[in-house]
């Protein structure tokens, strides 16, 4: 059988996947964003996750925003976003649109694999009926589906698509073999066959929810230990000497995975008349962490009697380290809040090129001896490499350094969470 793939949605997840498959199979990279397609045709990834060389090596890939080109594929992989609405309910519109699009061109024996993060049951209960209705075809008679959640970690140079273990699941045993075969071409790590699609969906969603809850626990402890005048990071270091202590750190939780996925789980729980207790408490703690950080800073400003026009430098604007993604970044909220009362500059070399014309206080380089406050908001490697002494050069003599991520644990004059 000759497999011809189409990847639907070429963002952080879809592009690396499309480029990897494009080394071995005829692959169509499809996105509704024409600007993105034009950039990709030139071998440029604005997310800085795929190098020009990755494009060169992907010999069988073509990029398009034309729906009719998708007809040539027989395996569709869906990697569109699954965000939440303002009220935190799952916003499935993009996934539904992608299903409608595929449904219109679906042929007998085609396979549709979903990689987007969803709640358990979404593939079979929401996506399959749309595919069937729009195509007039029947699951496991005419077409087949699979679910293989993505686990990539943008900004992480060690763990990547190739070496992260992959889960695969399918509506049908034979299709599972095909899906396994396809992924085994691009993934060198273990590929784990999961018994059902629902188990694979649930596995993905709990991976991120577990992380959210663990960070929330550390955030709660950090607030408590602050009151007790105990250094949280030193407590974690000490506790980590025990074999079964899980090492998590306090901090801001943003982005479109950890801060979002738990709501997919609580949504399906609610639909099944089950009120979860831990998951949403964790979400609440993490979502309020920015308030605690701002309050702590303002207290220090008052305590140290800073009363002139305070200038603040925020270093790092993304939702996590070493990536250029600012979606749902809690630092954005901190900036918006502090900018109301203070002069705030943002310094983030990973974000500068994409946003220099969109974020008015984003600067290319900080001034020397200029800032009263420096907030080290994201632990980008570039900041670590600069070293605390170079960073201190941006600050006035009387200053507050707020090292939210404890990038410089040995610098004792900084505020920590
Ligand atoms: N980014 C991550 O680190 C990560 C990791 C694991 C899982 N995920 C999950 O993977 C999914 C995709 O996330 P992402 O970060 O890659 O999103 P993204 O926003 O980076 O990219 C999504 C792309 O899909 C395109 N798109 C939207 N609707 C489309 C449609 N109907 N047809 C074609 N293209 C369409 C958008 O234009 C965009 O380019 C989400 O469910 C997310 O939760 C993300």
């Amino acid at each position: 059988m000759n497999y011809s793939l189409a990847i639907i949605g070429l963002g952080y997840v879809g592009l690396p996947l499309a480029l990897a498959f494009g080394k071995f199979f005829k692959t169509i990279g499809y996105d509704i964003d024409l600007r993105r397609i034009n950039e990709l045709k030139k071998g440029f990834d604005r997310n800085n996750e795929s190098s020009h060389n990755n494009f060169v090596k992907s010999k069988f890939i073509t990029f398009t925003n034309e729906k009719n080109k998708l007809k040539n594929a027989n395996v569709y992989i869906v990697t569109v976003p699954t965000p939440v609405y303002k009220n935190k309910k799952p916003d499935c519109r993009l996934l539904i649109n992608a299903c409608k699009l595929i449904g219109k061109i679906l042929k007998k024996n085609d396979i549709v694999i979903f990689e987007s993060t969803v709640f358990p049951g979404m593939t079979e209960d929401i996506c399959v009926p749309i595919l069937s209705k729009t195509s007039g075809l029947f699951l496991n008679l005419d077409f087949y589906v699979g679910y293989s959640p993505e686990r990539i970690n943008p900004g992480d140079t060690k763990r990547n698509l190739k070496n992260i273990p992959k889960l695969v699941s399918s509506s049908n045993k034979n299709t599972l073999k095909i899906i396994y075969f396809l992924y085994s071409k691009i993934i060198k790590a273990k590929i784990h066959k999961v018994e059902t699609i629902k188990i694979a969906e649930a596995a993905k969603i709990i991976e991120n929810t577990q992380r959210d809850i663990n960070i929330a626990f550390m955030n709660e402890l950090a607030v408590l230990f602050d009151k007790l005048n105990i250094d949280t990071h030193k407590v974690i270091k000490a506790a980590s000497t025990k074999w079964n202590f899980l090492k998590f750190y306090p901090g801001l939780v943003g982005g479109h995975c950890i801060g979002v996925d738990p709501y997919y789980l609580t949504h399906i729980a609610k639909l099944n008349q089950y009120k979860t207790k831990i998951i949403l408490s964790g979400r609440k703690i993490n979502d309020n962490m920015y308030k605690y950080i701002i309050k702590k800073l303002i207290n220090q400003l008052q305590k140290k009697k800073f009363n002139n026009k305070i200038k603040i430098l925020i270093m790092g604007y993304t939702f996590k380290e070493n990536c250029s993604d600012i979606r749902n970044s809690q630092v954005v909220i901190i900036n918006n809040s502090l900018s109301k009362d203070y002069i705030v500059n943002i310094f983030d070399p990973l974000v500068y090129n994409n946003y220099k014309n969109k974020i008015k206080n984003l600067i290319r380089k900080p001034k020397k001896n200029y800032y009263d406050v420096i907030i080290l908001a994201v632990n980008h490697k570039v900041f670590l490499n600069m070293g605390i002494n170079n960073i201190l050069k941006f600050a006035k003599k009387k200053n507050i350094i707020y090292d939210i991520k404890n990038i410089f644990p040995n610098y004792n004059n900084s505020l920590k969470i």
Side-chain angles (χ1 to χ4, degrees):
M1 174 91 183
N2 269 341
Y3 294 106
S4 179
L5 279 62
I7 315 297
I8 315 294
L10 302 173
Y12 281 88
V13 169
L15 179 64
L17 197 69
L19 291 174
F21 277 124
K23 282 189 197 166
F24 304 97
F25 304 99
K26 225 170 146 192
T27 303
I28 303 159
Y30 172 84
D31 202 291
I32 47 173
D33 180 349
L34 178 60
R35 195 180 134 219
R36 175 82 168 149
I37 290 296
N38 286 336
E39 287 170 358
L40 298 179
K41 280 181 178 168
K42 290 179 196 146
F44 170 67
D45 171 24
R46 70 173 97 125
N47 296 338
N48 292 324
E49 292 293 324
S50 300
S51 67
H52 191 74
N53 199 26
N54 293 139
F55 285 82
V56 174
K57 282 187 186 160
S58 188
K59 285 192 217 112
F60 307 114
I61 190 140
T62 51
F63 294 107
T64 185
N65 69 329
E66 293 173 44
K67 293 177 197 169
N68 62 341
K69 297 247 168 85
L70 291 172
K71 284 181 189 153
N72 303 328
N74 48 27
V75 178
Y76 298 91
I77 304 183
V78 180
T79 51
V80 298
T82 43
V84 285
Y85 289 107
K86 267 211 170 108
N87 66 5
K88 310 296 185 193
K89 281 210 169 131
D91 175 359
C92 308
R93 286 174 298 178
L94 299 173
L95 189 64
I96 289 171
N97 287 345
C99 291
K100 285 181 182 163
L101 166 84
I102 297 168
K104 282 182 196 150
I105 47 172
L106 202 65
K107 309 172 293 300
K108 216 170 156 53
N109 295 324
D110 281 357
I111 299 172
V112 186
I113 304 167
F114 294 89
E115 285 227 3
S116 298
T117 308
V118 295
F119 53 74
M122 203 154 156
T123 303
E124 286 153 308
D125 302 341
I126 294 181
C127 299
V128 166
I130 298 170
L131 290 171
S132 281
K133 195 176 166 203
T134 36
S135 65
L137 299 173
F138 291 98
L139 180 70
N140 290 339
L141 273 179
D142 304 312
F143 75 96
Y144 307 91
V145 294
Y147 184 74
S148 179
E150 188 47 73
R151 288 165 154 173
I152 53 153
N153 186 26
D156 188 336
T157 46
K158 265 197 213 145
R159 293 175 209 90
N160 54 38
L161 182 65
K162 215 170 159 180
N163 63 25
I164 297 173
K166 189 95 173 110
L167 301 181
V168 288
S169 64
S170 177
S171 58
N172 160 297
K173 268 192 182 159
N174 191 43
T175 311
L176 186 58
K177 281 188 199 153
I178 298 170
I179 295 175
Y180 184 94
F181 161 76
L182 293 173
Y183 280 103
S184 65
K185 285 277 178 193
I186 62 164
I187 284 163
K188 295 297 152 234
K190 186 173 167 47
I191 302 176
H192 179 76
K193 288 182 191 155
V194 180
E195 293 83 343
T196 67
I197 287 178
K198 276 200 184 86
I199 294 174
E201 291 169 326
K204 167 67 195 180
I205 209 104
I206 69 158
E207 287 164 17
N208 283 353
T209 305
Q210 184 186 64
R211 189 164 168 75
D212 193 40
I213 292 169
N214 280 320
I215 296 171
F217 177 47
M218 291 304 146
N219 277 336
E220 183 161 87
L221 292 179
V223 176
L224 168 65
F225 290 155
D226 208 8
K227 284 187 189 299
L228 303 179
N229 226 348
I230 301 173
D231 184 323
T232 308
H233 290 274
K234 290 186 178 150
V235 176
I236 296 171
K237 194 175 165 192
S240 304
T241 56
K242 193 184 173 203
W243 69 94
N244 59 358
F245 180 82
L246 301 177
K247 210 155 56 163
F248 283 87
Y249 295 98
L252 297 166
V253 177
H256 38 274
C257 289
I258 296 176
V260 167
D261 298 353
Y263 292 118
Y264 275 69
L265 194 53
T266 53
H267 172 76
I268 191 68
K270 213 169 161 191
L271 287 184
N272 285 276
Q273 288 81 46
Y274 181 64
K275 197 168 179 297
T276 57
K277 292 163 199 79
I278 296 175
I279 302 170
L280 288 181
S281 310
R283 273 293 56 245
K284 204 169 160 192
I285 292 173
N286 288 342
D287 265 354
N288 281 313
M289 228 29 217
Y290 79 90
K291 288 186 196 157
Y292 169 78
I293 287 168
I294 291 170
K295 202 170 148 198
K296 186 161 169 164
L297 175 64
I298 291 171
N299 280 345
Q300 279 295 309
L301 287 169
Q302 284 164 353
K303 205 168 143 191
K304 290 195 168 178
K305 297 195 169 50
F306 280 82
N307 45 18
N308 58 339
K309 276 194 169 177
I310 292 163
K311 298 186 189 77
I312 300 177
L313 176 68
I314 298 181
M315 294 182 65
Y317 203 53
T318 56
F319 83 91
K320 70 186 277 282
E321 68 279 8
N322 306 324
C323 80
S324 55
D325 195 349
I326 65 166
R327 289 174 298 173
N328 298 335
S329 169
Q330 299 285 299
V331 191
V332 175
I333 307 176
I334 292 179
N335 170 46
N336 291 343
S337 173
L338 292 177
S339 295
K340 284 181 198 152
D341 298 313
Y342 310 107
I343 298 163
V344 180
N345 283 178
I346 301 159
F347 174 51
D348 192 327
L350 281 83
V351 162
Y352 186 74
N353 281 340
N354 280 348
Y355 290 96
K356 60 185 173 208
N357 300 323
K358 293 181 195 139
I359 303 169
K360 64 176 190 309
N361 58 343
L362 183 66
I363 55 164
R364 202 177 66 79
K365 215 177 161 205
K367 291 181 194 167
K368 288 199 171 154
N369 301 318
Y370 187 72
Y371 300 97
D372 304 277
V373 176
I374 296 181
I375 303 176
L376 286 156
V378 183
N379 48 335
H380 286 324
K381 232 179 252 159
V382 276
F383 298 153
L384 186 71
N385 292 343
M386 279 171 83
I388 185 68
N389 289 335
N390 283 321
I391 290 170
L392 285 171
K393 287 179 187 161
F394 304 136
K396 289 180 186 163
K397 217 170 183 181
K398 180 181 174 186
N399 63 54
I400 293 174
I401 308 293
Y402 198 160
D403 187 358
I404 292 179
K405 295 293 290 185
N406 195 28
I407 310 181
F408 300 107
N410 297 329
Y411 182 65
N412 291 326
N413 291 332
S414 60
L415 280 185
K416 303 263 156 61
I417 281 192

